[in-house]
Amino acid sequence: MNLFGWAQAVIFLLLVLLVTRPLGAYMARVFEGERTWFQPVFAPLERAFYRLCRIDPATEMSAASYLLATLAFSLIGLVYLYALLRTQKWLPLNPQHFDNLPADSAWNVAVSFMTNTNWQFYSGESTMSYLSQIAGLAWHNFVSAAVGITIAIAVIRGVTRTDRTTVGNFWVDVTRATLYVLLPISIAGCLLLVSQGIPQNFHAYQDVVSIEGFRQTITGGPMASQEVIKELGTNGGGFVNANSASPNENPTPLSNLLEMFLIFCIGAGLTYTYGRYAKDQRQGWALFVAMAILFAAGFTVAYASESAGNPLVHALGVSGGNMEGKECRFGVAASSLFAAVTTDTSCGAVNAMHDSFTPLGGLVPLANMQLGEIVYGGVGTGLYGMILFVVLTVFIAGLMVGRTPEYLGKKIERSHVQYAILAALVLPVFALIPTAISVLVPAGTATLGNAGAHGFSELLYGFTSTTENNGSAFAGLGGNTYFNILMGVVMLCGRFLFLIPAVLLAGSLAGKPRAPVTSGTFQTHSPVFVGLLIGVIIIVGALTFFPADALGPIVEHLQMLHGKSF
Amino acid sequence: MISERRLDRRPKARSLFDRAILSRAVIDAFRKLDPRWQFRNPVMFVCEIGALVTLLFFLRDLRTHGPAGFDFAISVWLWFTVLFANFAEAVAEGRGKAQADFLRRTKSDTKARRVVAGREEVISSTELRKGDVFRVDAGELIAADGDVIAGAATVDESAITGESAPVIREAGGDRSSVTGGTRVLSDSILVQVTANPGEAFLDRMISLVEGAKRQKTPNEIALSILISGLTIIFLIAVATLSPYSIYAHTAQSVTVLIALLVCLIPTTIGGLLSAIGIAGMDRVLQRNVLAMSGRAVEASGDVDTLLLDKTGTITLGNRQATEFLPAPGIRIEDVARAAYLSSLSDETPEGRSIVVLSEQYGAAQGGKPADATFVPFSAYTRMSGVDVPGAAPIRKGAPDSIRTWAREQGAANADVLSAEVDRIARAGGTPLLLAQGGTILGAIQLKDILKPAMQQRFDRLRKMGIRTIMITGDNPLTAATIARESGVDDFLAEATPETKMALIRREQESGRLVAMTGDGTNDAPALAQADVGVAMNSGTQAAKEAANMVDLDSDPTKLIEIVEIGKQLLMTRGALTTFSIANDVAKYFAILPAMFRLAYPEIDALNVMHLSTAQSAILSAVIFNALIIIALIPLALRGVKYRPVGANIVLRDNVLWYGIGGVIVPFIGIKLIDALLTALHLT
C-alpha cells in the first residue's frame, strides 16, 4: 500500500461526494416534473411521446399497478431482445457475419441485459452483431437502468409521502429517467471517453501487423457509447470479453477514474434525492455515510490483501503485490478500487480478473455482493436495497428504545417487516441453493476452471453475482446449457422477487401520517443509527454467507498461508 | 340465606419465582412439548424437530454402533432448549394462573333478592340477567355486576382489588358501579344488573389474568415474522452447507448440521418471546391495573400525548390557605388570630387549612373562646364567621360580600387590598377577605395545592417524549397558572366532554397516540376514542366498558407507570432479539472449524476460542444456547430497565449492552463450558 494508491481512492470518493448534491437535487426536480436545464430540449419530445402512447402524465399509480407496468415493460423487453439475438444473422449491421445465438444463450443474454445484470458467457467481439450491440444490448443498458432508478423513485415516494397513497406513474418515470438523467450524462461521458481513445465506429475489424511483426485483429464498433452506459447504468456488460481491462474499453488511468465515477454517481446522487423527498437531507446523508464507510472498508481489505501479495509467489523471488490478472497501466490500487466499486454496485464491469485476486482480495467483491450491493449500489436498486435494510434496522433498534418502531415518523408494522424479510430471503435462496445443486450435479462442476476451495468460490461467486444482478464473474466458470438456463432463472428471480416486495413495502407506507418527532423517538440520522445500520448489514450478510465463504475464499486464504495452491 | 364465608383479599403481589409457581411450571414445560402447541412458535418448532431427529439418529447409532454418545448429548440438550423455553412461558403464566385460581374461588354461587314490581324474590345469582334489579343489604355479597340505582353503601372490594379499605358506592354520579363478588359492609342498595352471568367483570378478569384467550399483539407478530424469516435464512445456509461439505470431501452428519442450525436460529428470543408478553401483562396486573388486551399495554409504550384531569391527578383536589395578606396598618398576627377564630368550627377542608396556616403565626396561643357562636357559610351571605361575646364579630368570605358587610359596619377601609385580591384571582387562587367589625383585616389566599413531586413526574414524561395536557373545568387564566406551576406542557380549560373529544381527535390526526384516564359516564366516548383509555374502578360501568384498562386502585397517576411497562415490554423484545442475533457470531467460530477441521486442517485458525475437540466445541455451543435461555428468564420476566434519558441515549446504551455484549458473552460462555466438559472428561 502506498500514498499514491490511497490518494486515488480519496480523490475518487471526493469526486463522488461533489456530484451527489447537484445530481441528487437535479433528479428530484426531474421526477417531480419541475423545471430543469434540459426541459426546453426534451419536454416537447416527452410530450409527443406521451401523446403517441396515450399516457396521461398526471395520473398516478398504486404500488400494484406500478409493479404491473414494470413487469409488462420488462417482459416485452425480454421477448424483443431474445428475438433479436435469434435473428441477427439476417439483420443489418453485421459486418463480421455472426451467426444467430442458440436458444439457451439467447435466453441467458436476454435475461441478463433486461435485468441489468450483464452476465456474459459469450465474448461480445465474436458473437454480437453491431445491431445486437446497439439496438439490443445498449437499449437494455439504458432501460434496465432507467427501470432501476424508476423503482427507487417509487420506493422513495412511498416511504416519504404522507398525502397520497400512490407512488407515481411508471411510464412517466421511466421516460424521464432515460431522457433527463441517463441520456445527457451518457452523451457527455461518451465524448470524454472518445477523447481518451475508445473507438466509436461501424467498421469491420481490422487486421494489422504489429510492431513485433505479428498479425493482429483490432476490434472496432460503437464502443464508447456502449461503454458509458455500461458504467453509468451499472450494467457492466463489456463490448469485448476483456471488459474494462481491454485497452479499447478503458485505455487510460483517466478513463478508469471516469468509469468508476460513472458507476457510483447516480447511486450516490439518489441518496440526496431521497433526502429531498424526505424533506430532511440528513436522512439522505446518513445513508450516504453508511455506504461510504462500507465502501472504504471493502476497498481497504482488498487493497491491503492485493498489496501484500501471495507468499507462494514471493517464495519464488517475485516481490511486491499481486499483479496476476491485473493490467500494468492500472496496478494494484486502481484494480482493487475498481473491483470494490463494481461490486459495491450491481455494475460488474471489471478492469482486472477477480479470479486471480488473492483469496481475501477476491472475498471483497464476493462479500460486497453478499451484503446486497447497497453501497451506492446498482442504479436505484442500491437505494431501495438500503431502505429495506433501514426498515429492518429501525424495527430492531426501535424496539430497543421502547416504542413501536418508526421511520420518518411512520410506524413500521407487521406488513412492512414481512416485505423486508421477503426481500432479504431472495439472496440466500437464489445464491446458496443453486450453488448447492451445482456442486452435486455433473453439469455444475464440469466447466469449473479450478478444483477444491477455489473452484467452489467460482460457483458461489457466479450465483451470487447473478442473483444480485451484478454480472461480474470470477471467471473460471465456463458457459453451458445448464448454467445458461439456471442462471437466467436466477437473474430473473434476483431482480424481480426483490423489487416486488420493495415496491409493495413503499406502497403500504405511502400516505401514512408522520408522527411528530419527540425525545422518545430516536433519530435515524445519528451516528449511532448509522453504526447500527452498518452492523445489521454486515451481520445479516455474514451470518448468511459465513459457512459458504469459510469453505471458499477463507479456507483458501488459510491454505495459501500454509503453502497450498490450486 | 347468603353465604357468610369471609372474603379473602386478592393477593396483590407474589414472588415471580415462588416455589409453587416453579414446580407447576416444570410440569407445564413438559406438557407444552405437544407439537400442536409448539407449532405456534416456528423457531422453537424447528428446534423441537431437530431434537426429535437427533434422537432418532441416536437410536439408530445404538443399533449400528455409531457415535451414540455424542448424538445422545446433542439430542438431550436440544430437548432441554425446548423445555427451557416452555418453562419460561410457564413461569410467566404462573402468577396469572395463581390469581385466576383465587378469583375462581371468589366466584361462588350466591343468592340474590331480585326486585320485580316492588316485590322481592330470592333467586340464584346465575338467574340474574341484564336489566334485572336486586337489593343488597349490609353483610351480603353483591350477586352480579351492576349500577347502584338507589341508596349508598360502603363496599369491601378487597376480593378484587386487594385493598382492604372499604369504598363508597352510591346511586347517580361517577361512583355508581359495583362488581359481583364484592361485599356490602353497611347500608342497603338497589342494583341494576349490567352483565349476564359469564360476561361479568370477574369472569373477564379471570380469563385475562389467566391469559386463556391471549392473542399475539401486533408488534409480537411483526417480531415473530422477523425471527421466522431469519430461521428460514439459517435453514437455507445450513441445508446448503451439506452439499458444500460433500463437495469438499468432508460430508457432515445430520446431527452436527442440526446442532449448527439450532445454534444459529434465534432460539433465545424465540423461546422467550411469549414469556415477555405474558410477563408484561402480569406486571400491569401487579400494579393493580386490568388490561383488556396485550395490545393496549403495548400501545401505552407508544403514547405521545397524555391527558390528565387536573383535580385528583395534578392537584390534591381541594383548595388550601397558603398566605395571609394584612391590610395597611394591621399586623399579620392579628389577621392570623381572627382567621383562626373564624375557622375553628369550620369543618370544610378550606376552613381546616386556614386553622393550620394561622397556627404557624401563633394564633392558637390565645386559646379557644368558650362561648363563641359559629356563623356557617350560606350561599345567600357568601361568608361565614364567628361571634365572640365582648368582641366585634369576625367574618370571612367572598371579597365583595365582605366589603359590603364591612361598609354596613361603618368601615373606613372597605376598599383596601383590591390590587392583592385581583392578583390572587389572576394567579389561579381564590381570594377571601377577613373583617372584624368595621375593619378589613386582610386577605386570605386559597390555592389548589399541587400534588408533591408532580413537576419531576412531568419532567420524566417529557424525557420519555410524552406531552402532558391538563384537562380542567377552570377558566383559562386559572388553568394557565396551574399548568405553569405544575409543569404540564399544555392545558385544556373550561373542558367539556365535547372539547375533550375534539382535542383527542386533533392529536390523533397529527399522528399522535393519546392516553387518558377517566371515570365518569361522560368520559366514556373520550375513553373509547383514546388509544389508551384507563378507567377508574370507582367509576361508572360505561367508563369501564369504554376503556381498555381498568385501574383497580382508581389512581389517575398510574398511567405513567403503565406507559413505562409498555416501553419495557418493547425494549425487552428488542434487546433480546439483538442479543440473540449477536450471539451467532461466536457460535460460527465454535462450530465451523470443528466441522471442517478434518478436510481443511488450516481452518483451525478460526478456532479462536481454542476449544479442545470438535465434539466438545459443537456440544459447548449447543449447551450455551440452551443455558442462555434459562439465564435470561429473569430479564425476560422483569423487563429491561427503562430510563427516561431520551431515545438516542437509550439506543446507544442498549446497542452496547445487548449488541456488543451479545457478541462477546458467548465467546466466554462457550469457552467455559468447553473447559468444564474437558475437565470432566465428558467428551
Side-chain angles (χ1 to χ4, degrees):
Chain A
M1 286 193 278
N2 56 40
L3 194 65
F4 184 68
W6 286 109
Q8 290 186 56
V10 171
I11 290 170
F12 164 68
L13 196 61
L14 279 178
L15 279 176
V16 172
L17 179 64
L18 269 179
V19 80
T20 297
R21 185 180 166 157
L23 182 58
Y26 170 74
M27 285 192 283
R29 297 183 71 82
V30 164
F31 289 104
E32 286 313 288
E34 293 166 25
R35 270 200 70 81
T36 56
W37 282 5
F38 294 107
Q39 210 151 27
V41 190
F42 291 126
L45 202 64
E46 195 190 343
R47 277 196 298 275
F49 175 72
Y50 295 150
R51 260 200 309 282
L52 189 70
C53 300
R54 301 210 192 129
I55 294 164
D56 174 14
T59 315
E60 292 226 336
M61 298 173 171
S62 68
S65 327
Y66 204 96
L67 276 175
L68 274 181
T70 309
L71 295 179
F73 179 75
S74 302
L75 180 68
I76 292 166
L78 177 69
V79 172
Y80 157 73
L81 180 56
Y82 181 81
L84 186 64
L85 296 174
R86 295 283 283 153
T87 55
Q88 66 169 4
K89 184 167 133 187
W90 305 301
L91 297 172
L93 278 178
N94 189 0
Q96 299 296 122
H97 305 291
F98 291 131
D99 203 353
N100 295 332
L101 268 71
D104 59 325
S105 293
W107 151 256
N108 189 282
V109 175
V111 174
S112 178
F113 277 76
M114 184 271 279
T115 57
N116 197 260
T117 312
N118 301 25
W119 175 272
Q120 293 165 300
F121 271 130
Y122 62 92
S123 297
E125 65 270 39
S126 55
T127 317
M128 293 291 165
S129 75
Y130 288 165
L131 185 73
S132 295
Q133 291 274 19
I134 58 175
L137 306 186
W139 187 72
H140 269 294
N141 280 351
F142 272 95
V143 297
S144 70
V147 167
I149 299 174
T150 298
I151 296 293
I153 294 294
V155 170
I156 291 174
R157 287 199 189 107
V159 172
T160 55
R161 269 184 182 176
T162 53
D163 52 340
R164 275 176 288 179
T165 53
T166 52
V167 294
N169 182 316
F170 172 78
W171 308 112
V172 173
D173 290 340
V174 85
T175 308
R176 287 186 180 154
T178 313
L179 270 185
Y180 289 89
V181 180
L182 296 174
L183 214 50
I185 305 177
S186 291
I187 292 170
C190 178
L191 295 175
L192 283 173
L193 287 176
V194 168
S195 80
Q196 293 301 302
I198 300 186
Q200 180 73 9
N201 58 43
F202 284 113
H203 302 319
Y205 300 165
Q206 293 173 20
D207 284 337
V208 294
V209 179
S210 68
I211 303 167
E212 296 102 322
F214 296 114
R215 289 182 62 80
Q216 193 183 352
T217 303
I218 304 287
T219 53
M223 267 188 216
S225 58
Q226 187 106 326
E227 190 64 26
V228 66
I229 190 64
K230 170 188 119 186
E231 321 294 1
L232 180 67
T234 61
N235 294 287
F239 198 92
V240 298
N241 192 31
N243 209 302
S244 287
S246 141
N248 272 348
E249 285 200 27
N250 189 4
T252 66
L254 193 60
S255 70
N256 193 54
L257 179 66
L258 182 64
E259 287 184 11
M260 291 189 298
F261 173 77
L262 287 170
I263 295 173
F264 261 20
C265 67
I266 291 181
L270 279 172
T271 61
Y272 193 86
T273 311
Y274 179 57
R276 264 290 157 91
Y277 272 94
K279 295 193 181 66
D280 183 359
Q281 286 307 147
R282 295 173 303 182
Q283 303 293 347
W285 285 120
L287 301 191
F288 184 97
V289 169
M291 291 173 172
I293 292 171
L294 285 167
F295 160 74
F299 167 72
T300 305
V301 173
Y303 186 34
S305 181
E306 293 307 298
S307 303
N310 188 335
L312 301 184
V313 177
H314 294 166
L316 300 173
V318 182
S319 64
N322 173 29
M323 277 303 288
E324 186 196 324
K326 294 189 178 63
E327 294 291 303
C328 291
R329 67 184 182 286
F330 301 135
V332 167
S335 300
S336 306
L337 188 58
F338 203 103
V341 167
T342 197
T343 50
D344 275 334
T345 64
S346 77
C347 184
V350 290
N351 77 348
M353 293 303 111
H354 295 176
D355 195 28
S356 302
F357 274 32
T358 57
L360 285 190
L363 176 62
V364 168
L366 182 60
N368 275 340
M369 293 189 289
Q370 289 169 340
L371 297 186
E373 289 174 355
I374 33 66
V375 178
Y376 305 105
V379 282
T381 60
L383 190 87
Y384 62 77
M386 192 58 146
I387 289 180
L388 286 166
F389 270 115
V390 168
V391 167
L392 285 181
T393 309
V394 160
F395 184 75
I396 297 171
L399 287 178
M400 279 198 289
V401 303
R403 274 174 78 90
T404 297
E406 287 166 3
Y407 185 51
L408 301 182
K410 296 181 175 190
K411 288 212 180 328
I412 302 298
E413 287 161 331
R414 173 189 178 165
S415 62
H416 313 122
V417 174
Q418 212 162 354
Y419 291 133
I421 277 289
L422 277 178
L425 279 172
V426 170
L427 182 54
V429 168
F430 293 99
L432 290 178
I433 295 179
T435 307
I437 297 171
S438 298
V439 297
L440 293 181
V441 299
T445 46
T447 64
L448 282 183
N450 299 74
H454 193 77
F456 177 72
S457 301
E458 290 168 355
L459 269 176
L460 180 65
Y461 193 104
F463 283 107
T464 310
S465 171
T466 42
T467 307
E468 283 294 290
N469 301 135
N470 183 281
S472 73
F474 221 36
L477 195 61
N480 59 19
T481 309
Y482 167 80
F483 281 120
N484 273 337
I485 295 172
L486 184 59
M487 286 193 166
V489 174
V490 166
M491 288 186 278
L492 213 51
C493 294
R495 170 91 160 174
F496 292 100
L497 294 186
F498 189 82
L499 167 163
I500 291 169
V503 174
L504 290 178
L505 168 77
S508 65
L509 281 171
K512 272 191 144 197
R514 277 171 93 153
V517 174
T518 69
S519 59
T521 35
F522 68 91
Q523 292 154 340
T524 46
H525 53 73
S526 68
V528 176
F529 183 77
V530 170
L532 193 65
L533 176 62
I534 293 172
V536 167
I537 291 169
I538 290 179
I539 287 216
V540 168
L543 292 183
T544 312
F545 289 100
F546 192 68
D549 289 354
L551 287 181
I554 294 174
V555 78
E556 199 188 331
H557 169 75
L558 296 170
Q559 287 181 327
M560 178 185 81
L561 297 181
H562 284 81
K564 200 167 168 187
S565 65
F566 296 95
Chain B
M1 61 180 181
I2 287 163
S3 93
E4 281 303 309
R5 186 170 58 82
R6 214 188 71 79
L7 271 179
D8 290 328
R9 266 168 66 180
R10 186 175 69 87
K12 254 172 110 172
R14 194 167 184 162
S15 161
L16 256 176
F17 301 104
D18 186 285
R19 184 183 293 267
I21 290 177
L22 289 184
S23 55
R24 182 160 156 179
V26 171
I27 298 164
D28 281 347
F30 281 94
R31 203 173 283 153
K32 284 170 193 269
L33 285 176
D34 185 340
R36 283 168 301 179
W37 179 271
Q38 290 295 327
F39 190 68
R40 305 179 337 151
N41 184 342
V43 181
M44 296 319 290
F45 187 63
V46 169
C47 188
E48 184 170 33
I49 290 182
L52 194 65
V53 172
T54 48
L55 186 66
L56 293 178
F57 271 89
F58 160 67
L59 295 176
R60 192 203 61 177
D61 288 343
L62 284 183
R63 289 213 349 253
T64 60
H65 306 289
F70 176 69
D71 282 359
F72 178 73
I74 294 285
S75 182
V76 164
W77 281 101
L78 294 187
W79 283 113
F80 271 134
T81 312
V82 183
L83 284 171
F84 289 165
N86 289 348
F87 177 72
E89 192 179 64
V91 172
E93 287 168 345
R95 202 148 59 166
K97 280 196 171 144
Q99 299 255 9
D101 287 347
F102 173 80
L103 291 170
R104 244 187 229 109
R105 269 184 274 130
T106 308
K107 227 186 88 178
S108 50
D109 182 18
T110 54
K111 296 275 186 266
R113 275 179 289 152
R114 183 163 63 179
V115 182
V116 185
R119 294 215 335 268
E120 287 182 12
E121 54 182 19
V122 175
I123 58 165
S124 160
S125 61
T126 53
E127 289 172 56
L128 284 171
R129 290 292 175 274
K130 227 185 234 182
D132 286 353
V133 175
F134 63 95
R135 169 177 298 285
V136 202
D137 287 337
E140 294 176 350
L141 281 176
I142 297 171
D145 289 4
D147 275 326
V148 180
I149 53 171
T154 52
V155 179
D156 174 9
E157 293 194 337
S158 60
I160 287 176
T161 64
E163 289 296 339
S164 52
V167 292
I168 292 173
R169 293 286 175 260
E170 58 195 359
D174 292 341
R175 289 190 296 178
S176 61
S177 81
V178 290
T179 310
T182 58
R183 182 184 300 276
V184 171
L185 292 179
S186 71
D187 306 295
S188 168
I189 45 176
L190 273 182
V191 177
Q192 183 161 39
V193 178
T194 52
N196 288 328
E199 302 161 8
F201 189 69
L202 204 57
D203 297 304
R204 264 163 57 205
M205 191 162 163
I206 290 170
S207 84
L208 280 170
V209 299
E210 193 174 42
K213 277 189 272 176
R214 201 180 89 83
Q215 287 182 324
K216 284 187 179 177
T217 56
N219 175 268
E220 200 177 342
I221 294 172
L223 188 55
S224 302
I225 291 172
L226 177 81
I227 60 178
S228 303
L230 288 174
T231 304
I232 297 173
I233 290 179
F234 289 125
L235 204 55
I236 294 168
V238 173
T240 53
L241 193 55
S242 176
Y244 298 169
S245 51
I246 292 171
Y247 170 86
H249 307 295
T250 172
Q252 297 296 318
S253 78
V254 174
T255 304
V256 168
L257 288 171
I258 286 177
L260 176 63
L261 175 65
V262 172
C263 284
L264 293 180
I265 59 175
T267 46
T268 311
I269 179 65
L272 295 172
L273 184 56
S274 70
I276 295 170
I278 297 167
M281 290 282 281
D282 187 55
R283 277 202 299 282
V284 173
L285 185 68
Q286 298 308 313
R287 303 286 199 295
N288 242 7
V289 174
L290 213 53
M292 298 304 159
S293 67
R295 184 187 284 254
V297 178
E298 206 173 88
S300 59
D302 286 349
V303 164
D304 300 290
T305 305
L306 196 55
L307 305 190
L308 293 171
D309 271 327
K310 184 197 81 173
T311 311
T313 310
I314 297 171
T315 64
L316 286 172
N318 39 41
R319 293 170 302 178
Q320 304 208 339
T322 55
E323 198 182 351
F324 294 130
L325 299 158
I330 312 283
R331 291 190 322 140
I332 196 159
E333 287 75 14
D334 297 333
V335 180
R337 175 70 183 166
Y340 175 77
L341 290 175
S342 71
S343 305
L344 263 181
S345 303
D346 186 350
E347 282 304 320
T348 62
E350 290 89 346
R352 281 200 298 267
S353 77
I354 293 175
V355 173
V356 171
L357 181 69
S358 57
E359 281 170 351
Q360 291 173 15
Y361 293 95
Q365 279 163 10
K368 295 176 189 175
D371 46 359
T373 326
F374 180 63
V375 183
F377 179 86
S378 84
Y380 176 68
T381 59
R382 293 171 68 221
M383 55 190 175
S384 63
V386 67
D387 293 332
V388 184
I394 304 171
R395 292 290 181 273
K396 66 169 198 283
D400 48 339
S401 310
I402 294 293
R403 290 193 209 283
T404 315
W405 179 78
R407 244 178 238 116
E408 284 164 8
Q409 306 284 320
N413 68 344
D415 297 322
V416 295
L417 293 175
S418 64
E420 283 78 1
V421 164
D422 280 355
R423 184 176 57 74
I424 293 171
R426 263 204 313 279
T430 310
L432 296 182
L433 276 186
L434 183 69
Q436 183 162 29
T439 316
I440 304 258
L441 296 176
I444 303 171
Q445 171 172 276
L446 292 182
K447 271 183 91 170
D448 252 346
I449 298 294
L450 295 179
K451 283 191 170 176
M454 283 317 276
Q455 193 121 28
Q456 287 95 304
R457 283 210 162 195
F458 294 132
D459 274 348
R460 193 177 164 88
L461 283 168
R462 232 186 320 278
K463 289 203 187 103
M464 288 159 87
I466 297 171
R467 216 161 63 92
T468 42
I469 302 182
M470 180 183 80
I471 308 285
T472 171
D474 292 342
N475 62 58
L477 215 62
T478 313
T481 309
I482 295 175
R484 196 173 51 242
E485 284 179 6
S486 62
V488 293
D489 299 300
D490 204 350
F491 63 89
L492 177 69
E494 288 167 353
T496 62
E498 291 75 33
T499 56
K500 233 187 209 180
M501 192 72 173
L503 174 70
I504 294 176
R505 287 232 172 87
R506 205 164 55 237
E507 291 287 314
Q508 286 174 333
E509 271 157 23
S510 57
R512 296 188 174 94
L513 236 69
V514 182
M516 70 168 285
T517 56
D519 50 8
T521 301
N522 56 21
D523 284 333
L527 280 171
Q529 176 72 29
D531 301 283
V532 177
V534 182
M536 302 295 103
N537 190 43
S538 60
T540 61
Q541 208 64 42
K544 284 202 243 179
E545 255 158 45
N548 38 26
M549 288 186 215
V550 176
D551 180 14
L552 299 173
D553 297 338
S554 305
D555 170 8
T557 58
K558 197 75 81 56
L559 200 46
I560 298 171
E561 289 168 50
I562 299 174
V563 168
E564 291 195 0
I565 293 174
K567 287 193 176 296
Q568 271 191 320
L569 187 67
L570 296 179
M571 280 171 63
T572 312
R573 282 189 198 139
L576 291 185
T577 306
T578 309
F579 187 81
S580 196
I581 298 171
N583 269 203
D584 284 359
V585 176
K587 292 172 190 164
Y588 266 139
F589 279 97
I591 298 182
L592 283 182
M595 287 171 84
F596 299 114
R597 207 182 278 180
L598 270 181
Y600 300 118
E602 303 86 356
I603 211 165
D604 208 45
L606 294 183
N607 181 11
V608 291
M609 285 172 269
H610 299 293
L611 305 177
S612 53
T613 66
Q615 291 197 342
S616 83
I618 295 168
L619 190 58
S620 302
V622 171
I623 293 176
F624 175 84
N625 192 52
L627 290 183
I628 197 74
I629 294 181
I630 283 284
L632 289 173
I633 288 178
L635 181 73
L637 298 191
R638 294 204 181 105
V640 170
K641 202 166 157 47
Y642 177 75
R643 292 179 307 133
V645 287
N648 287 325
I649 297 174
V650 173
L651 179 63
R652 186 198 65 199
D653 291 354
N654 283 335
V655 167
L656 279 179
W657 276 106
Y658 299 99
I660 310 288
V663 172
I664 296 167
V665 166
F667 277 103
I668 301 167
I670 292 173
K671 175 70 193 169
L672 285 178
I673 295 170
D674 177 75
L676 197 68
L677 288 180
T678 313
L680 299 175
H681 301 289
L682 283 176
T683 53

